[in-house]
Amino acid sequence: MTTTHLGQIFHVAGRPVVTEAADALTWIPDGALVLDGAGTIVYCGPRDGRPAARTPGSAERIHDHGDGFLIPGFVDAHIHFPQTYSVDAYGGGQLLEWLETCIFPAEARLADPGFAQQIARDFTARRIAVGTTAAMVFGSAFPHAQDALFDETRRAGLRLVGGRGIQTVGGPASAPLLTTEQQAIDLTADEISRWHAADSGDVSSALLHVAIVPRFSLSVTTETLAGLGELYDDVRDRGVYVHTHLNENNRLGDGEIDLVKRSYEVDSYLDTYDGRFLPGSRTGGAGLLGRRTVMAHAVHCTDDELTRMAETGTSIAHCPVSQLFLGSGTMPWKRTVAAGITIAAGTDVGAGDEWLISRVLSDAFKVHLSEPGAGSVAMHPAEMLFTATLAGARALDMENRFGNFDVGKEADFLVIRPERWTPLESILRQGIRADDEVTARDQTLFALLMGLREPAIAEVYVRGHRVRT
Ligand code: GUN
Ligand code: ZN
């Protein structure tokens, strides 16, 4: 028995890079997405052409979503679980003040197991509400909070890559989040052994994966980084991930980037994650870069840093909503794309005050169009959809499993019902559309992505299963 979802389909097919996304954009107004019993896509195309329509009498369960849209599930490549309640927190400054004033105290509250349970439930519910079917999740310092997160995620049936936030040094507000160097390594190793692929026992079919997550270079030391590099060498082959922040805030003199370079005496911020964390950027241990490593922000990278990320397969989680919120600047889109790095989208909740990935792409469109001079670019709607979906799957090294509707992939998708959000319905119905079909298609997708709000996300599916709170 197959299951068929009928609706208007948008996805970016195949394995394009972002600059090829427009050519790979697929729009099927009278579409059908057909799944087998395991939730694998066996057909994506016009409804009249689906196998059951051509073979009368064959068993088929049909979900007709009417005028609804079917798009791949959103991938959030950078989101902070312990900051679920910290969206819109006023810190009276940029990154470092906001961390001290708002974030470290908020994250310390997860020391209470009851609170940790509650925030894990609410975080998971928020993810479902906004259709984030897969996420790279920056975790809590507290193992019981991480257990609650993994438990809730497994119960819901969402995908998660994540790990406990590692901090071994910091100011007074961070004290409750700190561990010794040895504890940092031991707790991370323990999390990997207990949660990596814990749902299926096999990384190639798991929904749950663990990442090694040093908060950022200012929260750890050369000793921590050396220990984590050694640990990563041991577990890399098991499909473990790495996630951290890079080159986010460059306020001159006392911003994050200057402080990293000054305190480690290194040439570049990236060197600290690349095993070159000793003074003069001398090698002090194994590095953390690779195809399962995702760097959040990467706003202010040098050419050498971009080249190094590209050659190691390291990806970027692009978080423009957060960058606006904290005054961090704008990641140069054209230059970063030209470097050949996979750029996925991240909310960076709670510095990002939007949970919905399409809102991140909305701000991306605005900030990149506003880049000075030759940097200014109007992102194509297909590039926006790509960055929100397939690029995220690629950054999580699971492009072979989800991210679009290619036959053989696991069916992660959203059902969007415009009638549930009147402003969206009206722009889709009444907006001006070009006479030529391709421009009209692009305009429709742009309106859908820009106008989408949470109430219009009617149903969320992971691997063919409806996800509910
Ligand atoms: N750098 C270190 N920690 C954080 C955090 O929690 N949020 C952001 N945006 N940047 C960070
Ligand atoms: Zn972040």
Side-chain angles (χ1 to χ4, degrees), residues 198-443:
D199 55 313
S200 72
D202 174 5
V203 278
S204 65
S205 61
L207 297 181
L208 304 179
H209 302 260
V210 173
I212 296 174
V213 183
R215 178 164 213 127
F216 65 162
S217 299
L218 295 178
S219 289
V220 292
T221 65
T222 54
E223 194 183 342
T224 326
L225 288 167
L228 294 178
E230 223 172 274
L231 174 64
Y232 196 42
D233 263 1
D234 288 343
V235 295
R236 225 183 238 272
D237 290 349
R238 291 168 48 198
V240 170
Y241 292 78
V242 172
H243 189 39
T244 187
H245 296 93
L246 173 74
N247 283 327
E248 177 177 359
N249 185 282
N250 77 339
R251 194 172 54 196
L252 278 183
D254 65 350
E256 173 209 21
I257 298 170
D258 278 346
L259 285 182
V260 168
K261 290 190 351 196
R262 217 182 305 143
S263 56
Y264 283 84
E265 299 174 56
V266 287
D267 302 331
S268 82
Y269 195 154
L270 189 70
D271 284 343
T272 60
Y273 300 134
D274 199 11
R276 293 150 52 87
F277 45 72
L278 296 180
S281 290
R282 280 182 299 111
T283 300
L288 296 169
L289 307 186
R291 56 190 275 219
R292 282 185 292 278
T293 300
V294 180
M295 294 288 165
H297 299 289
V299 174
H300 308 282
C301 290
T302 63
D303 286 344
D304 285 349
E305 287 175 312
L306 293 178
T307 302
R308 182 67 183 145
M309 278 192 277
E311 73 190 14
T312 54
T314 300
S315 301
I316 291 173
H318 180 32
C319 311
V321 177
S322 157
Q323 286 146 20
L324 288 166
F325 186 85
L326 289 178
S328 299
T330 300
M331 186 198 80
W333 179 261
K334 280 188 178 176
R335 181 169 156 252
T336 313
V337 166
I341 301 167
T342 297
I343 305 167
T347 57
D348 196 18
V349 156
D353 58 352
E354 300 275 5
W355 287 78
L356 188 54
I357 279 291
S358 54
R359 301 307 298 144
V360 174
L361 275 304
S362 166
D363 275 3
F365 180 85
K366 295 166 197 162
V367 298
H368 298 309
L369 192 57
S370 304
E371 284 193 58
S376 170
V377 58
M379 289 179 77
H380 190 284
E383 294 175 341
M384 296 165 67
L385 181 63
F386 171 84
T387 305
T389 57
L390 191 58
R394 189 173 297 166
L396 299 188
D397 197 33
M398 285 188 269
E399 183 179 12
N400 59 334
R401 294 182 59 190
F402 61 91
N404 63 14
F405 296 150
D406 287 355
V407 167
K409 286 201 182 181
E410 299 166 23
D412 289 13
F413 62 99
L414 313 180
V415 179
I416 296 170
R417 304 290 306 229
E419 72 275 15
R420 291 165 59 121
W421 182 247
T422 307
L424 176 62
E425 184 183 37
S426 59
I427 55 174
L428 288 168
R429 255 193 224 295
Q430 312 290 356
I432 300 288
R433 299 288 177 264
D435 291 334
D436 82 278
E437 203 177 295
V438 170
T439 309
R441 172 200 71 177
D442 296 346
Q443 290 169 330

Side-chain angles (χ1 to χ4, degrees), residues 9-270:
I9 290 175
F10 268 118
H11 76 126
V12 177
R15 300 176 70 89
V17 294
V18 62
T19 48
E20 299 162 344
D23 289 338
L25 180 62
T26 303
W27 182 33
I28 313 166
D30 286 314
L33 192 61
V34 183
L35 321 179
D36 68 12
T40 304
I41 298 169
V42 294
Y43 175 88
C44 173
R47 62 185 69 184
D48 294 345
R50 72 189 192 277
R54 286 186 271 112
T55 320
S58 59
E60 180 190 33
R61 187 185 301 115
I62 293 187
H63 297 264
D64 188 346
H65 301 292
D67 288 338
F69 290 86
L70 308 179
I71 64 169
F74 288 138
V75 182
D76 189 338
H78 180 60
I79 180 164
H80 292 259
F81 150 58
Q83 297 175 22
T84 299
Y85 308 135
S86 303
V87 170
D88 296 317
Y90 176 68
Q94 296 195 349
L95 172 65
L96 300 179
E97 295 80 31
W98 170 82
L99 285 173
E100 283 290 313
T101 316
C102 305
I103 295 306
F104 294 150
E107 296 200 2
R109 297 176 71 196
L110 278 75
D112 171 358
F115 184 85
Q117 281 291 344
Q118 182 63 47
I119 198 169
R121 271 197 295 276
D122 289 344
F123 176 78
T124 307
R126 297 296 308 130
R127 280 191 58 190
I128 297 169
V130 295
T132 299
T133 50
M136 174 64 96
V137 179
F138 215 99
S140 166
F142 303 106
H144 61 260
Q146 288 299 99
D147 290 348
L149 172 68
F150 280 111
D151 270 333
E152 280 299 316
T153 308
R154 174 157 60 182
R155 199 186 52 72
L158 293 167
R159 297 182 195 271
L160 182 146
V161 181
R164 67 176 293 275
I166 300 164
Q167 295 179 244
T168 52
V169 284
S174 66
L177 307 174
L178 304 185
T179 67
T180 65
E181 307 285 353
Q182 192 56 47
Q183 282 168 335
I185 309 303
D186 292 347
L187 290 172
T188 305
D190 184 56
E191 186 171 35
I192 293 167
S193 70
R194 290 192 308 115
W195 285 111
H196 190 54
D199 55 313
S200 72
D202 174 5
V203 278
S204 65
S205 61
L207 297 181
L208 304 179
H209 302 260
V210 173
I212 296 174
V213 183
R215 178 164 213 127
F216 65 162
S217 299
L218 295 178
S219 289
V220 292
T221 65
T222 54
E223 194 183 342
T224 326
L225 288 167
L228 294 178
E230 223 172 274
L231 174 64
Y232 196 42
D233 263 1
D234 288 343
V235 295
R236 225 183 238 272
D237 290 349
R238 291 168 48 198
V240 170
Y241 292 78
V242 172
H243 189 39
T244 187
H245 296 93
L246 173 74
N247 283 327
E248 177 177 359
N249 185 282
N250 77 339
R251 194 172 54 196
L252 278 183
D254 65 350
E256 173 209 21
I257 298 170
D258 278 346
L259 285 182
V260 168
K261 290 190 351 196
R262 217 182 305 143
S263 56
Y264 283 84
E265 299 174 56
V266 287
D267 302 331
S268 82
Y269 195 154
L270 189 70

